[in-house]
Amino acid sequence: GGEADAALHQRVPGLGVRTWLVLAGAGAVLSVLLMWGTHAKAPPGCHPMLVICGFVVAVMWLDLLAGEMVAIVESIGQIWGISTSILGVTVIAVGNSVGDYVADTAAARGADARMAVAACFGSPLLSSMLGCGVSLSLFTALNGVPIQTPITAQCRVAYGFLALALGSHAVAFPLRRFGGAYTVPRSYSIYLFFLYALFLLVSVLVEVGVLP
């Protein structure tokens, strides 16, 4: 109806329900033509273009689903009176790390520990560079002013524990007593779990006002 069209137009400027229906119909027609004009045993001539389109569509779906999930979590936080900072370091952080956990575990079990450890650092770094760097740069370029984001106590706690974890990695991995590069004992993983549990505890205490 008109209200749904207006709501969607407000979320995505320039697009409405009719536009989405036209795009969906065009996609269905192109899909049928592609199915009739290609064979299962030979790739089509436009295969590179299809790969690029598939990648772009996958990114768009992930962005849409991520936005909806964040909105749901924020709604739950507002209903239950939970700070968005707590939700960010718990629910959102865990959900954002599941994919990395599965991929890094598979790499480690495949006797390629170097790649697994490198991915543990490379994936969050790439996410931070693209997620924060690109989005903040676009906001500044489009609005002409930098975005105003207050640094809360939760952020300072997260920065401190992140620096502690990275410092621990920088000291632990090169130590010869641990066997050299990329070789650490099981006790080090227990230490990291303890560090994360302590981080969650401190974050909750800061949120409820026990710690300043």
Side-chain angles (χ1 to χ4, degrees), residues 154 203-211:
Q154 295 288 349
S203 297
V204 172
L205 293 178
V206 170
E207 176 63 22
V208 299
V210 176
L211 295 178

Side-chain angles (χ1 to χ4, degrees), residues 85-86 88-90 93 151-166 195-196 198-200 202-204 206:
S85 299
I86 291 293
V89 300
T90 53
I151 300 179
T152 62
Q154 295 288 349
C155 294
R156 293 186 176 89
V157 171
Y159 295 156
F161 276 91
L162 176 61
L164 179 59
L166 294 178
L195 189 64
Y196 182 69
L198 182 61
F199 162 66
L200 292 180
V202 174
S203 297
V204 172
V206 170

Side-chain angles (χ1 to χ4, degrees), residues 44-56:
C46 57
H47 183 261
M49 183 60 65
L50 292 177
V51 173
I52 296 175
C53 292
F55 175 77
V56 173

Side-chain angles (χ1 to χ4, degrees), residues 56 58 74 91 102 105 121 125 163 168 176:
V56 173
E74 288 182 349
V91 179
V102 175
T105 302
F121 295 98
L125 177 61
S168 301
R176 294 187 178 273

